[in-house]
Structures are given as structure tokens and as C-alpha cells.
Amino acid sequence: MGKTQSRSYDLANANSSPEYHTRERVIREEVKPVEKQVIKQPEKSVVKQSNSCPVKPVSKYKTGKNPWDWTPTLTDDNTPNGTQQSQSPDDNTPNGTPQTQSPVEEDSTVVTVTEQKGPNSEIVVAQVSPQTAEDAAELENDMSDSEVVEAVVCDADDLQDGVMKEVALGDGKVLLVKEGSDIHALGAQCTHYGAPLVKGAYCKGRVRCPWHGACFDVETGDIEDYPGLDSIHKFDVSVADGKVKVKANRSALKTFRRQRSMCKAKGDNTDSVLIIGGGPASVVCAETLRQEGFTGQVTIATKEEHLPYDRIKLSKAMDVKPAAITLRGEDFYKNADIDILTQKEAEAVDTENKSVKFKDGSTQTYGSLVLATGGSPRVLPIPGIDLENVRMLRTPSDANFIAEKAEGKNVVIIGSSFIGMEVAAYLADKAASVSVVDIIKTPFQLVLGEKVGELLKQMHEDNGVKFFLERGIKEFSGNDGHVTEAVLSDDTRLPADLCILGVGVVPATDFLKSSGLTMNRGFIPVNKFMETGQSGVYAAGDIVEFPLFTEGDKIVNVQHWQMAHAHGRTAALSIVGKKTEISSVPYFWTVMYGKSIRYTGYGVGYDDVIVHWDEENMKCVAFYTRGEDVVAVASLNSDPLVSQAAEAMAKGLKISKSEIQDKTDAWVDRLCKL
């Protein structure tokens, strides 16, 4: 498709950063009175074999929907479902579509999530139950007879080395993995959004989620790469007379998330870690410190008024309330002795005296400092930028304002990368009109290239979105302080009741200018351990430039939700003296109109893209190449190909340009044989 230069992570270029993008399939949820669970030993367990290895990356769901792509929502009483990582409503399923519900244990609040039945598709049911830190501990310790399910789940001959199988146990599901003579039994769902791990990628002792790339160790169930915060359960396995028997806690089969044990603070430990910022890097860093035995003071200071939340949902569920998307609940932090300081914005850092000054006039000292302040929306220096109803999207209040003011109105969005286009998708059936303005040729061009961008542009146009491309915004005009028009660079005038700026972000590091820290265009350079040039100071997330191992330790800036998690963990391990090099493969995703686009790798500087497009089934795979090497892969409705590519990159397996010319999955056999 030519020599299109990708600048997907360069904040110096508007619309170029793919951070804060998420949301999943359109799934309807219900909270129903629970029924008594009946534990039975099946005569013949249901066994589902993974299509991970080998696999043809073609979805069997001809509607283009993946029935496991879902996000928990709020119940009618506005209480979050799932764990503390509850999600927000996004129910756009057709009215009158039949639903199913599975029996669950009595006296539990359970959300049953069902994919709607449609032509050539399936009904799939998933369940999410609340689980606090105390609940998780009880699940690990409570193996009384009444709480135990033990049954033969399959024949030993059913299992192949390195191939995953999903089996039924009681009313739940278990993932089996055979490695040599060892058989591992694990929770069957990813702890991020509940994806079926059997549909993911397996290689050398770990399984990778098919949706967003989270990784779990098959020996322990511990989470090894992100997104998500929790691990999966590990169950007892025995083999006798050629039969595989699994023993599990009944509740663990239902509450598929497992929180690792954490220590608490001790009064005689005067050491302290101060974490600035309220995103996933901060939360993972704090949790990892407690998981690794750090008993000093742990504090997260955020300028937000809310507990750390899942920011990437804001562009897809714009009416969501903060309590519905918190990464962890207040009780979690309290039980782990992690102090959360909200509305606490850092003003200056004194690295010599190890102290941070805040805008409220207070000062706090630290033993170790972790900087994870993320980005600030880029502001365009044009007339009318301060008019009422010209907004940027950064906080829940921003999202709620946009959702309310857009109803039945004319909306103009400046910027056609991920934030702008997710907002367009959300508002397409709510606003009177949605117009997108950008200086590039096609949406997503800087990240996904022109050909893929054109495919996604057509999808938006099919939903009524209008594009005004290869032109910029000159000014916003209005009456009585309210915007009424967006005036473009070619003097086109678009009626506008609401204008939304989605032109990228800049690192939120201005407060560090006098700190003595080395910075590059506002970014903080760090080494493989997230250490800055100042002793005891670490940095993580969107604000850092770090060595990316898949690029030969090239210094890069990667603004992905998943990568921020990994940075936080790496920083914490460095603080507690367990230095581990950052080794996470970049992975991000977006969902628009119920269709998921996934991306892995580092495509900056790609010189060609090979696109496989199946229009009839709405499937697409794009391979971004530099020379003869595939450096990034994107897909639509082709799971688990992107997760397999991520795992190949993680293991150092090169995918060549020649082997993806005719088939998208010719290289997968090599991954299986590693």
C-alpha cells in the first residue's frame, strides 16, 4: 500500500496516540435471583479443544460478532457487578432477542451475561461474581467437603502436549493444559473481561488471552502480563486408570478472579514509596509492592477526585459513572494499607531532599518515588477554543457532559484517531449529526495505515458519520459564549452545538521542570528497570521513553493501557530489590459498533502493509513490515491471531513478510513447536 510512515506513539503529532481506547462487545446483561447449584459428576464431560495451535485465524461467527467479547455493566441499583473492576452499560442488542441464564450458587449475587442468538451465531453464557480480597483468601482456604467439586473431566488420552482444552466441572469450566507429563488445571476465563482462555494462544508454559493479550502462568495461575489486575485459579489434578480428575473449590469456579496475597504495613518500617498519578501503572505498582512483601508506607497521590479508574472506557461508555469503573474499591486499598490521596496534584519535586510539593501547599517526603502522571489533552491554539461546549475528553465529568449535550444535537469531532472515532461511534445513534474533521487522508492513518483506515471509515459512514478530511480547523464561532459553528481551513462551515477535541495528548510532566530529572520533549527516559537518572526515582506509563526489547532495546514511547500495567510492576520489583527487565509486547484494542480491532507490536516506521480482507465475513488481518520482518499485526474478527503474534514476538520468533503473503497463519505452526 505504499510507504506510509506510521507515528502511532509520537505525541508530537496530533491524533497519533492510541492510548485510552477500549470497550468490548455488545452484550445484554441481567441480574437475576440466583438458584441452588447442583454439583454433579458428569458421565462424559464437555470437552472443548483449543483452536490456538494450530489455528486458522478466521472467526466461526459469521455475523462478525465474537460472543465472548463483553464488558460487565451496572445493575439496576447502580451497584458495580464483577469485582472492583466493574464496567459500564453498553446495551445495544436488538429488542426481543431471547436470552439464557445458567444456574448459580444460592446466596450469591451473580451477573449472567448472554450473547444474543442470531443467524449462524451461538448463545454463550458467562458469569461474573463479586470478589473482595477477603473473599479470594477464603476461596483459597475453604476446601471443606461441601465446598469441593471433584470429578473425572476427560480421558488422559484426550490431552495433547501443548494444546489447551476446556472441560466442564460441576456447573463451571476448567482449562486443562498438558506439558510433558504434567497436567495443569486452571480457571477458564481471563480476569480482565472474562474471555475464554481456550480460544487464546499457548506457548511454553503460559496462556495469552485472545482479546487483549493478558498472560497467565499455567503452573501457578499468576498473571504475568497485562491488562487486568488479578490472577486465575489453579486447581488440583490427578490421573488414575487413564482418567483425569480435577478437584476445585465450588466458589472458585464461579468467581474466576483470584487476588494474590498481600502483606500490610508495619509500624517499625519507616521506608516509604510515593506514587504520583492515578492510572494502572500506579495501581499495579502499589499492589506489586504489597505482593512482594514491602511493609513500608505506600501512597498513591492523584489529582483526580475519584479513586483510580478505567479511563479507556470514557470514550466508549460516555454516560458511565466513576464508581462503575474503579480499578479497585476503597476497601481493597484500606485492607492492603495503600493510602489514596485524591485531588492531590503535584506541583514540584525536590529529588535532593526527597520530597514532593503539592498544589494545596502540603509537602510529602518519600523513600522511593514513582512518577506515573500520564498525559494531558493537547489544546489547539485557535480562536473560539474557550467557547462553551468546546470540550476535550479526559475525565468522567467530561464524558458525562458530552453524552448529555450531544443528544439530538450537531456534533463536530476534531481528530480521527482512536479517541475521536470511539466517541463518533458512541454518538452516532444519539446525536442529530456527527462530523469528523482531520488533516489526514483517512481515519486511523497514522497508526493503521490508509487501507485499513478506509475499511474503518466505511464502517463509520455506514452508521451516518460524515468526514471532512485533508483539512484542519480554523476557528470555532458562536453566540452568547456558546459554539454554533466549526470553521474549517477551507472555510467550510459546519453547524455545531458541541465540538470535541481528540488531537492527542502531551506528557503531564511540567511540574518536573525544576526537579533535575532528565527529560526529552516532556518525556522521562528510563532504563529497563524503569529507573530514571536520579537515585530512588522511577517513572512509568505514557510519560516514559524506555528500551523496547522487541526492537533491540530501541528507546521508544508506547502509550498503551496494557504497557502502563507492566511498567508499574517493573518499577515495584526494582524498588523491592527484585530487578526484572521490562519485557512486555505492545498490545492495544478498540471496539466500534460492536466490532473489535486488535493490534500488537511496534509499527513505527513500517514501510509496507499486507492486508488480507474478507468482505463477506467482515474479517481483516494486516501485517505491518519493515524490510522482510513483520513488526506489527492488526486484526478484525480474526482471533486469536493478534495474541498469537504477540506471543511469537515475546518468544523472539520472527514472522517473515514472505510467509504472510498468501496465508495469515502459515507461521503459527512454528510458534507451537517452540
Side-chain angles (χ1 to χ4, degrees):
M1 64 155 283
K3 307 265 184 190
T4 302
Q5 177 82 7
S6 171
R7 293 175 291 173
S8 54
Y9 320 115
D10 184 0
L11 286 180
N13 296 279
N15 310 315
S16 64
S17 49
E19 74 288 11
Y20 315 134
H21 320 299
T22 188
R23 289 289 297 171
E24 283 312 282
R25 305 277 349 140
V26 179
I27 301 295
R28 185 181 298 274
E29 299 186 0
E30 291 185 322
V31 177
K32 297 285 190 181
V34 296
E35 300 175 323
K36 182 68 176 178
Q37 185 181 32
V38 179
I39 306 301
K40 298 179 180 179
Q41 178 169 321
E43 294 180 5
K44 183 65 175 177
S45 296
V46 178
V47 179
K48 183 184 293 183
Q49 180 165 321
S50 168
N51 65 345
S52 172
C53 187
V55 64
K56 292 185 178 181
V58 175
S59 172
K60 66 181 179 180
Y61 306 104
K62 295 182 180 179
T63 58
K65 291 186 176 182
N66 178 344
W68 279 99
D69 261 347
W70 61 274
T71 301
T73 71
L74 289 178
T75 61
D76 291 337
D77 63 355
N78 281 335
T79 55
N81 297 330
T83 64
Q84 293 88 338
Q85 303 180 69
S86 305
Q87 316 305 328
S88 52
D90 188 14
D91 185 354
N92 298 318
T93 47
N95 293 331
T97 311
Q99 304 179 17
T100 61
Q101 189 169 17
S102 295
V104 294
E105 187 181 24
E106 189 176 7
D107 298 328
S108 298
T109 302
V110 178
V111 181
T112 296
V113 185
T114 61
E115 166 69 2
Q116 310 308 309
K117 186 73 173 179
N120 301 313
S121 64
E122 300 179 358
I123 292 180
V124 179
V125 178
Q127 295 175 347
V128 185
S129 300
Q131 180 179 342
T132 63
E134 294 84 1
D135 293 333
E138 289 178 10
L139 294 184
E140 297 301 310
N141 297 326
D142 187 357
M143 289 295 282
S144 62
D145 291 342
S146 62
E147 282 295 313
V148 170
V149 183
E150 186 170 15
V152 172
V153 294
C154 69
D155 293 335
D157 290 342
D158 292 337
L159 301 178
Q160 302 175 39
D161 195 28
V163 178
M164 299 181 290
K165 286 185 182 293
E166 186 182 87
V167 299
L169 179 62
D171 289 332
K173 294 179 180 179
V174 172
L175 182 72
L176 296 181
V177 181
K178 182 180 180 183
E179 288 190 309
S181 60
D182 296 327
I183 298 174
H184 305 285
L186 305 151
Q189 293 174 259
C190 177
T191 58
H192 186 218
Y193 287 165
L197 293 175
V198 72
K199 295 181 180 292
Y202 171 79
C203 183
K204 281 188 174 180
R206 75 175 184 180
V207 57
R208 184 181 286 267
C209 171
W211 293 353
H212 310 131
C215 296
F216 303 92
D217 186 315
V218 300
E219 291 191 3
T220 64
D222 288 347
I223 189 168
E224 287 192 336
D225 207 346
Y226 304 91
L229 299 174
D230 296 316
S231 298
I232 56 178
H233 292 283
K234 181 71 186 293
F235 304 120
D236 294 335
V237 183
S238 61
V239 180
D241 299 324
K243 303 292 183 181
V244 178
K245 182 183 288 186
V246 177
K247 180 180 180 181
N249 181 290
R250 257 193 318 178
S251 299
L253 290 171
K254 181 178 61 180
T255 53
F256 57 88
R257 294 178 174 94
R258 173 178 64 85
Q259 293 175 5
R260 291 182 59 191
S261 60
M262 296 187 291
C263 69
K264 304 189 78 167
K266 291 184 178 179
D268 59 352
N269 189 336
T270 59
D271 199 0
S272 64
V273 177
L274 176 60
I275 306 168
I276 307 297
S282 298
V283 174
V284 172
C285 181
E287 290 193 22
T288 303
L289 289 169
R290 290 295 188 230
Q291 291 166 358
E292 297 297 331
F294 180 79
T295 58
Q297 182 182 16
V298 177
T299 303
I300 296 175
T302 171
K303 67 179 181 180
E304 300 267 359
E305 59 180 308
H306 312 291
L307 292 176
Y309 57 86
D310 200 342
R311 187 185 304 278
I312 55 178
K313 297 194 186 318
L314 297 181
S315 56
K316 189 61 176 172
M318 306 189 73
D319 57 353
V320 69
K321 302 306 176 188
I325 56 173
T326 53
L327 296 176
R328 295 292 197 194
E330 186 175 354
D331 287 345
F332 174 89
Y333 298 111
K334 182 177 180 180
N335 292 334
D337 283 341
I338 297 171
D339 297 326
I340 303 287
L341 305 179
T342 57
Q343 296 180 290
K344 201 78 170 175
E345 184 173 0
E347 186 175 60
V349 171
D350 184 343
T351 55
E352 184 175 345
N353 294 307
K354 291 196 168 186
S355 66
V356 176
K357 182 180 179 182
F358 295 94
K359 286 193 173 181
D360 62 5
S362 64
T363 299
Q364 184 160 337
T365 59
Y366 61 83
S368 297
L369 176 66
V370 180
L371 302 167
T373 46
S376 297
R378 185 187 301 277
V379 179
L380 297 178
I382 60 173
I385 194 72
D386 56 348
L387 286 171
E388 184 71 18
N389 291 7
V390 175
R391 300 296 288 249
M392 293 172 285
L393 176 59
R394 181 62 178 171
T395 67
S397 61
D398 294 333
N400 294 169
F401 178 92
I402 292 169
E404 178 185 351
K405 299 298 183 182
E407 288 282 348
K409 302 297 184 180
N410 297 310
V411 178
V412 176
I413 299 170
I414 312 301
S416 66
S417 195
F418 290 88
I419 291 178
M421 298 317 301
E422 286 183 355
V423 171
Y426 179 83
L427 297 179
D429 62 350
K430 301 173 181 65
S433 68
V434 176
S435 301
V436 176
V437 178
D438 206 335
I439 60 175
I440 56 181
K441 292 181 179 180
T442 190
F444 305 104
Q445 178 183 333
L446 298 176
V447 182
L448 300 178
E450 290 184 35
K451 187 173 289 188
V452 176
E454 281 296 325
L455 297 175
L456 299 179
K457 176 174 177 281
Q458 184 62 55
M459 181 173 68
H460 280 277
E461 289 176 333
D462 290 344
N463 285 274
V465 176
K466 296 180 180 179
F467 288 89
F468 297 83
L469 300 171
E470 297 187 84
R471 64 196 93 179
I473 179 73
K474 180 190 292 186
E475 65 175 307
F476 299 110
S477 62
N479 294 318
D480 298 326
H482 289 73
V483 67
T484 58
E485 285 185 324
V487 183
L488 308 188
S489 57
D490 63 355
D491 291 326
T492 298
R493 306 180 81 89
L494 300 178
D497 303 300
L498 175 65
C499 293
I500 304 160
L501 300 180
V503 293
V505 298
V506 295
T509 55
D510 284 349
F511 71 102
L512 297 172
K513 288 181 177 178
S514 61
S515 65
L517 287 168
T518 300
M519 291 196 289
N520 178 27
R521 296 178 297 114
F523 296 104
I524 305 172
V526 295
N527 62 15
K528 297 178 182 180
F529 309 106
M530 312 316 293
E531 297 169 320
T532 69
Q534 293 284 345
S535 176
V537 180
Y538 307 81
D542 295 354
I543 63 173
V544 304
E545 293 179 331
F546 69 100
L548 182 60
F549 80 106
T550 59
E551 290 288 308
D553 291 337
K554 178 181 179 180
I555 304 300
V556 303
N557 171 245
V558 175
Q559 297 182 32
H560 299 341
W561 187 251
Q562 153 266 343
M563 188 61 75
H565 287 69
H567 285 176
R569 179 176 184 271
T570 302
L573 292 175
S574 295
I575 291 170
V576 298
K578 299 180 180 180
K579 285 189 175 183
T580 304
E581 294 183 359
I582 182 70
S583 59
S584 185
V585 178
Y587 199 119
F588 73 87
W589 66 96
T590 183
V591 179
M592 294 167 291
Y593 310 109
K595 294 179 174 59
S596 296
I597 295 94
R598 318 198 194 284
Y599 179 104
T600 192
Y602 186 75
V604 173
Y606 72 86
D607 54 35
D608 198 6
V609 58
I610 310 301
V611 178
H612 296 262
W613 169 237
D614 179 354
E615 184 174 5
E616 180 182 356
N617 295 304
M618 276 295 290
K619 298 168 189 168
C620 179
V621 179
F623 294 92
Y624 301 83
T625 63
R626 251 185 260 125
E628 289 302 311
D629 293 332
V630 173
V631 295
V633 182
S635 78
L636 169 67
N637 290 335
S638 298
D639 293 337
L641 194 68
V642 166
S643 286
Q644 289 172 322
E647 198 59 18
M649 294 175 191
K651 296 296 192 293
L653 179 68
K654 291 287 187 181
I655 304 171
S656 68
K657 186 175 183 178
S658 60
E659 64 185 328
I660 51 87
Q661 293 288 337
D662 299 321
K663 292 183 63 179
T664 60
D665 62 341
W667 51 273
V668 173
D669 283 343
R670 294 196 290 119
L671 173 64
C672 300
K673 294 174 183 177
L674 285 178

